[in-house]
């Protein structure tokens, strides 16, 4: 039984494009990001960085201003009066490439998330820390892994559009299917 399952899985996922997609999905899932082999992980990170750079290439400005807070430094009364700049805010110019590299470095150093936790909830919680990477993660994690949900909708539509109800118009079938699936 195990050998048949293994051969079936190897046959299904033998295409390189599917393998790349699965690696990218695995890397942006905080529960499984470290389960990839080191060489596959590095190739996937490079591909995702390139994809993020292409995503933000159309932006009008390639520089992002980040305001960070410094601890207050001791000043004399005279320097406080003569200083024009606020003492806490520091503006730093970084390029999108630096921001992408920084987000990936921090993300990969973070511990793996609990396997019971939803990856979309994790990214929603960490969106402020990883604004660029969270957008990319949502693009990959929204891919439906199975066709079970759509098969269920087709089954419900089949029950509604039976031989006894064959005179229903398509709009009514759509409405009844929607109500059936969403009123449960």
């Amino acid at each position: 039984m195990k050998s048949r399952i293994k051969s079936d899985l190897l046959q299904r996922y033998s295409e390189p494009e599917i393998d790349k997609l699965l690696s990218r999905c695995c890397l942006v899932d905080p529960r499984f990001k470290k389960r990839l082999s080191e060489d596959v992980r590095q190739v996937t990170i490079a591909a995702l960085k390139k994809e993020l750079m292409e995503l933000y290439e159309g932006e009008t400005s390639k520089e992002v201003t980040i305001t960070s807070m410094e601890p207050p430094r001791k000043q004399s009364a005279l320097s406080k009066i003569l200083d024009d700049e606020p003492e806490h805010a520091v503006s730093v110019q970084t390029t999108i490439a630096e921001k992408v590299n920084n987000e990936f470095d921090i993300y990969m150093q973070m511990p793996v998330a609990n396997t019971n936790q939803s990856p979309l909830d994790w990214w929603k919680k960490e969106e402020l820390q990883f604004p660029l990477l969270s957008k990319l993660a949502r693009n990959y994690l929204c891919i439906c892994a199975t066709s079970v949900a759509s098969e269920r909708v087709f089954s419900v539509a089949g029950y509604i559009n039976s031989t006894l109800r064959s005179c229903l118009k398509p709009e009514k079938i759509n409405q009844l299917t929607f109500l059936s699936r969403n009123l449960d």
Side-chain angles (χ1 to χ4, degrees):
M1 177 91 134
K2 288 181 183 179
S3 63
R4 289 186 74 190
I5 291 173
K6 183 179 178 180
S7 66
D8 183 55
L9 289 174
L10 289 174
Q11 182 183 4
R12 287 178 192 240
Y13 301 114
S14 62
E15 293 181 36
E17 289 301 315
I18 292 176
D19 195 39
K20 287 178 187 176
L21 177 66
L22 292 174
S23 296
R24 290 175 183 190
C25 291
C26 188
L27 189 78
V28 297
D29 190 329
R31 302 169 301 172
F32 307 118
K33 65 183 178 183
K34 300 207 176 169
R35 291 195 182 177
L36 295 171
S37 65
E38 186 61 34
D39 55 336
V40 172
R41 187 181 316 145
Q42 293 306 320
V43 169
T44 307
I45 287 173
L48 287 174
K49 283 181 180 180
K50 182 180 177 189
E51 188 175 336
L52 266 176
M53 291 302 297
E54 290 171 359
L55 184 67
Y56 288 99
E57 195 173 78
E59 301 262 329
T60 55
S61 170
K62 289 206 175 199
E63 292 191 354
V64 180
T65 303
I66 301 170
T67 304
S68 64
M69 299 301 283
E70 279 186 357
R73 53 182 188 247
K74 292 186 178 183
Q75 292 180 326
S76 65
L78 182 60
S79 66
K80 284 183 183 179
I81 294 171
L82 297 177
D83 237 355
D84 291 335
E85 294 182 25
E87 60 187 62
H88 297 293
V90 176
S91 182
V92 180
Q93 295 289 327
T94 61
T95 63
I96 293 291
E98 291 170 346
K99 182 83 172 128
V100 166
N101 288 331
N102 187 30
E103 282 190 23
F104 263 104
D105 291 343
I106 294 171
Y107 171 66
M108 292 309 292
Q109 290 175 1
M110 289 184 77
V112 175
N114 186 349
T115 55
N116 296 330
Q117 185 178 12
S118 166
L120 291 172
D121 289 341
W122 189 92
W123 279 108
K124 187 174 184 176
K125 195 169 61 173
E126 299 294 334
E127 187 174 15
L128 291 176
Q129 185 174 4
F130 306 109
L132 304 177
L133 196 53
S134 66
K135 189 174 186 179
L136 185 70
R138 282 193 306 264
N139 288 343
Y140 280 105
L141 295 175
C142 72
I143 299 171
C144 188
T146 65
S147 62
V148 172
S150 60
E151 294 293 335
R152 286 184 182 146
V153 172
F154 283 120
S155 293
V156 168
Y159 295 138
I160 291 171
N161 190 21
S162 66
T163 54
L164 297 174
R165 303 171 96 184
S166 61
C167 294
L168 287 174
K169 293 184 179 181
E171 297 85 31
K172 281 286 188 209
I173 293 173
N174 287 342
Q175 290 172 351
L176 289 170
T177 304
F178 177 82
L179 289 173
S180 174
R181 291 303 302 151
N182 292 302
L183 290 178
D184 290 339

